[in-house]
Amino acid sequence: MTDTSERYQRQLPLIGETGQERLSTSRVLIAGAGGLGTTIATFLTVAGIGFIRIVDEDTIERNNLNRQILYREPDRGERKAEIARQRLVEINPEIEVQALCTHIDDQSIGGMVRGMDIIMDGMDNFSTRYVLNRAALRQKIPFIHGAVNGFYGQVTSIIPGKSPCLRCIVPHPPSADKVPIIGVTCGVIGSIQVTEAIKYLTGRGDILTGRLLLWDGFRGDAAIINVVNEPDCSECTGEWAGERG
Amino acid sequence: MKISIRVFASLRDFMVPSLELNLLPGATVGALLVELCRMYPPLDTAIFQSPGTVREFVNILKNGRNIHFLDGLVTALQEGDVIAIFPPVGGG
Ligand SMILES: [Zn+2]
């Protein structure tokens, strides 16, 4: 048995050699290396995603450490994306990780997403999420949205051409104030986002397209709301509304 | 007519997560919200910014469509409609 097939031995019954091969040739952008981003990065890495580009402009602070699981006390002051990269390739030396310590906006995002198979939402604000949403629509790349606040979280998979976009679902963002945040909720939501990515990349299972999953950890409850394309959406201009079921 | 209501996240601090209401034919989303606030008074300030104006980030979906893209609070309700009210979360 090669090192590679041994590493993935326990997941091969789920996704097969072909599925594993697909993961190893996939390129994924993780926008943000915070609570969601570090969870997402960890599980993409152990699953064997071949190329990860992780983007974050911030440095590590002590108050990040309750949830940003790739960082340690002595990392304070270091750049998040770079430390994340070092830890990820330690965990899985078979993958390639690129760190970008860059601000994400409408100008910078184009080059970041080009050639990527999926965009993972690890942001902490909706204005940048709308930037990711626009880039996903423009370049027709799936965008796996996740967000948290306290014990609550939400996930949906935006597949251009098949699902409503983020702006169809959330035309008005919540305020950009700092919200209470705890590691376990980032763990739950980030893990669901990676589950979505693995299903999409391997062509298995049912993806959360046109469905918003709402997690309530406080009450131990998960619910799904079906959502549809909006002809009057300012971002996708209802481009796909004709496909409404 | 019977309308199903589901609320999410912090709104669950003020009312039950889901219920069914019997409203008069022709009722609007606005009338439904007023009725909910009558039943659960603390909900009022969580949903409304001022009388008749819903806080912008409180998303209200009628059968999966945000009423922002329909007729807002005067969106008409029909028998069997499902109304979901959620304040989206935004942290990461
Ligand atoms: Zn849209």
Side-chain angles (χ1 to χ4, degrees):
Chain A
M1 186 180 283
T2 65
D3 287 356
T4 298
S5 53
E6 190 178 349
R7 172 179 286 273
Y8 304 117
Q9 188 183 7
R10 300 293 295 272
Q11 68 191 44
L12 287 173
L14 297 172
I15 60 173
E17 299 273 355
T18 318
Q20 192 63 51
E21 179 64 22
R22 283 195 190 151
L23 295 186
S24 73
T25 54
S26 293
R27 301 168 64 83
V28 176
L29 175 78
I30 306 173
L36 287 175
T38 53
T39 302
I40 292 166
T42 302
F43 282 110
L44 287 174
T45 292
V46 294
I49 298 297
F51 178 85
I52 291 171
R53 176 177 291 158
I54 187 159
V55 189
D56 200 302
E57 63 179 322
D58 289 339
T59 54
I60 297 159
E61 297 176 43
R62 183 176 272 144
N63 67 17
N64 300 150
L65 300 179
N66 77 319
R67 63 194 187 281
Q68 304 186 9
I69 54 174
L70 285 173
Y71 313 132
R72 301 169 190 167
E73 184 72 24
D75 299 326
R76 285 184 296 137
E78 302 287 339
R79 292 176 157 192
K80 288 184 181 180
E82 177 51 30
I83 298 294
R85 187 195 66 76
Q86 292 172 19
R87 299 280 142 75
L88 295 171
V89 293
E90 265 175 49
I91 293 170
N92 188 348
E94 295 182 11
I95 68 164
E96 188 185 339
V97 181
Q98 183 187 57
L100 295 181
C101 306
T102 316
H103 181 66
I104 298 175
D105 57 26
D106 279 313
Q107 280 68 50
S108 66
I109 189 68
M112 288 177 197
V113 302
R114 200 158 296 122
M116 295 290 121
D117 296 305
I118 290 201
I119 303 168
M120 302 297 286
D121 178 0
M123 296 314 304
D124 62 359
N125 67 86
F126 256 83
S127 53
T128 315
R129 286 188 172 99
Y130 290 139
V131 170
L132 300 176
N133 182 56
R134 277 192 290 276
L137 293 169
R138 207 175 297 128
Q139 300 201 30
K140 298 191 166 46
I141 301 170
F143 170 41
I144 314 295
H145 162 64
V148 297
N149 182 335
F151 287 103
Y152 304 115
Q154 64 194 36
V155 184
T156 192
S157 293
I158 292 146
I159 315 286
K162 286 196 177 143
S163 74
C165 83
L166 186 60
R167 187 76 84 161
C168 293
I169 305 169
V170 183
H172 297 299
S175 85
D177 296 346
K178 290 239 182 279
V179 299
I181 190 158
I182 188 162
V184 285
T185 309
C186 298
V188 170
I189 297 302
S191 299
I192 297 173
Q193 289 178 268
V194 175
T195 308
E196 291 296 290
I198 290 172
K199 287 186 295 182
Y200 175 80
L201 293 169
T202 59
R204 282 159 190 265
D206 296 322
I207 298 174
L208 287 167
T209 45
R211 296 186 295 152
L212 178 67
L213 184 147
L214 294 163
W215 168 246
D216 179 347
F218 199 57
R219 296 172 186 80
D221 173 71
I224 300 268
I225 309 182
N226 292 315
V227 286
V228 298
N229 298 89
E230 285 303 335
D232 297 329
C233 172
S234 60
E235 299 289 3
C236 66
T237 57
E239 199 172 336
W240 322 108
E243 298 177 25
R244 182 180 301 160
Chain B
M1 59 182 179
K2 271 210 174 70
I3 308 293
S4 298
I5 300 120
R6 302 165 77 193
V7 305
F8 299 94
S10 53
L11 295 180
R12 291 178 170 187
D13 295 343
F14 307 113
M15 61 173 284
V16 294
S18 66
L19 80 162
E20 272 198 350
L21 277 187
N22 238 321
L23 296 179
L24 293 173
T28 61
V29 170
L32 167 74
L33 295 183
V34 168
E35 176 61 13
L36 282 178
C37 292
R38 195 189 60 75
M39 296 169 67
Y40 304 97
L43 195 61
D44 199 297
T45 50
I47 290 186
F48 288 103
Q49 187 175 312
S50 56
T53 309
V54 171
R55 291 184 184 280
E56 205 173 42
F57 59 85
V58 175
N59 284 263
I60 301 170
L61 306 183
K62 178 192 151 180
N63 303 329
R65 297 194 65 191
N66 201 302
I67 63 163
H68 168 82
F69 296 112
L70 301 171
D71 296 316
L73 289 184
V74 296
T75 300
L77 294 171
Q78 285 90 32
E79 167 80 25
D81 279 348
V82 178
I83 300 294
I85 311 175
F86 75 104
V89 296

